């Protein structure tokens, strides 16, 4: 059963999450953290794919404080402009609070084993890293996270496994930032980092300009193995 809505409650108000369920439960939960386009078809498809792998997958609407139910694509200039407006208006601290509230709530969702992972893309990649350092999530994966280099000191608080996928030619993550990430995080016992040479930002986004099928397949296989081992 997929496509249901879950209401996440916070002290600041309630927001919705898209939920996809696996064929059988009990199952671990994976919180899918959105890009800058809202909970759109791409994010719903990713959520459905995790459910097909046997997880209860939940994609919370993290832009609800700006405007609920944003659902745009990367296919037009106007939508890109709107996406960057949302990105700039987004409050990262509140976003992490909302993810923490989602994790707390879905641990006890019907059919859950109590184990919760998080995976994020783009803006969500940064949020996945911060989810790993600031919440009690059991495991987290970040795809081409933007701005992680600004939060590297937080890695010392990291108690659970984290995997990062880095696009070597990422237009939003300069080489200097990538070098800093490696310098600070390579030797961290809980962190596994994979680089994808020749790949640009969002190489795993189906239908995106920089989609790279081989790199996406490799990254997704690594993610699947990582969650299997840790959840």
């Amino acid at each position: 059963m997929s496509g249901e809505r879950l209401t996440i409650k916070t002290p600041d108000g309630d927001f919705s999450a898209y939920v996809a369920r696996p064929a059988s439960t009990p199952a671990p939960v994976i919180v899918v953290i959105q890009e800058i386009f809202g909970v759109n078809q791409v994010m719903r498809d990713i959520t459905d794919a995790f459910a097909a792998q046997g997880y209860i997958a939940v994609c919370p609407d993290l832009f609800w404080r700006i405007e609920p139910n944003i659902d745009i694509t990367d296919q037009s200039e106007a939508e890109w402009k709107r996406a960057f407006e949302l990105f700039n208006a987004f409050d990262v601290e509140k976003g992490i609070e909302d993810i923490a509230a989602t994790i707390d709530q879905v641990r006890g969702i019907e059919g859950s084993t109590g184990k919760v992972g998080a995976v994020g893309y783009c803006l969500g990649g940064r949020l996945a890293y911060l989810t790993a350092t600031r919440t009690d999530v059991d495991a987290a994966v970040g795809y081409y996270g933007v701005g992680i280099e600004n939060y590297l000191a937080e890695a010392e608080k990291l108690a659970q496994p984290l995997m990062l996928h880095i696009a070597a030619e990422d237009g939003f993550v300069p080489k200097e930032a990538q070098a800093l990430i490696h310098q600070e995080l390579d030797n961290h016992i809980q962190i596994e980092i994979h680089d994808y040479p020749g790949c640009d930002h969002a190489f795993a986004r189906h239908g995106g300009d920089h989609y790279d099928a081989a790199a996406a397949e490799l990254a997704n296989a690594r993610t699947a193995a990582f969650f299997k081992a840790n959840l």
Side-chain angles (χ1 to χ4, degrees):
M1 180 164 106
S2 69
E4 51 178 295
R5 292 273 162 190
L6 177 69
T7 300
I8 308 292
K9 298 184 178 304
T10 79
D12 298 341
D14 299 350
F15 62 96
S16 81
Y18 173 85
V19 181
R21 289 184 174 272
S24 64
T25 52
V29 182
I30 289 180
V31 176
V32 179
I33 309 172
Q34 64 180 64
E35 299 183 288
I36 56 176
F37 308 100
V39 181
N40 63 1
Q41 192 60 53
V42 170
M43 298 316 300
R44 291 192 294 272
D45 288 347
I46 289 170
T47 307
D48 291 347
F50 279 111
Q53 287 178 34
Y55 299 97
I56 299 169
V58 179
C59 187
D61 174 17
L62 299 179
F63 283 162
W64 71 279
R65 294 168 187 274
I66 308 165
E67 185 187 319
N69 306 316
I70 294 280
D71 180 349
I72 56 179
T73 77
D74 60 349
Q75 302 295 312
S76 76
E77 199 176 319
E79 287 174 301
W80 271 101
K81 185 168 176 280
R82 179 73 179 124
F84 278 110
E85 283 170 3
L86 292 161
F87 177 70
N88 291 325
F90 181 73
D91 183 329
V92 168
E93 309 301 316
K94 286 291 182 188
I96 296 298
E97 286 178 24
D98 291 341
I99 293 168
T102 304
I103 291 167
D104 287 347
Q105 199 168 317
V106 298
R107 271 197 202 284
I109 197 175
E110 188 189 342
S112 161
T113 60
K115 286 272 194 185
V116 180
V119 59
Y121 304 80
C122 168
L123 166 63
R126 178 202 303 185
L127 297 175
Y129 171 83
L130 293 173
T131 297
T133 64
R134 297 185 190 179
T135 77
D136 63 353
V137 77
D138 295 299
V141 177
Y143 282 73
Y144 30 81
V146 178
I148 289 172
E149 67 277 7
N150 301 319
Y151 300 94
L152 294 173
E154 294 198 22
E156 63 192 39
K157 297 187 291 190
L158 186 69
Q160 305 293 356
L162 169 68
M163 178 182 278
L164 296 176
H165 300 295
I166 296 178
E169 305 304 325
D170 196 322
F172 299 110
V173 185
K175 297 282 188 192
E176 304 76 60
Q178 295 179 35
L180 270 175
I181 290 167
H182 277 292
Q183 182 185 315
E184 295 297 319
L185 305 183
D186 275 351
N187 295 322
H188 194 297
I189 192 161
Q190 293 285 16
I191 303 177
E192 191 179 326
I193 301 178
H194 297 288
D195 294 290
Y196 297 83
C199 289
D200 201 341
H201 188 73
F203 65 80
R205 184 196 303 142
H206 263 291
D209 285 348
H210 303 140
Y211 180 67
D212 183 311
E217 194 176 322
L218 178 59
N220 291 340
R222 285 168 167 163
T223 298
F226 175 81
F227 279 139
K228 197 166 187 179
N230 292 300
L231 297 181

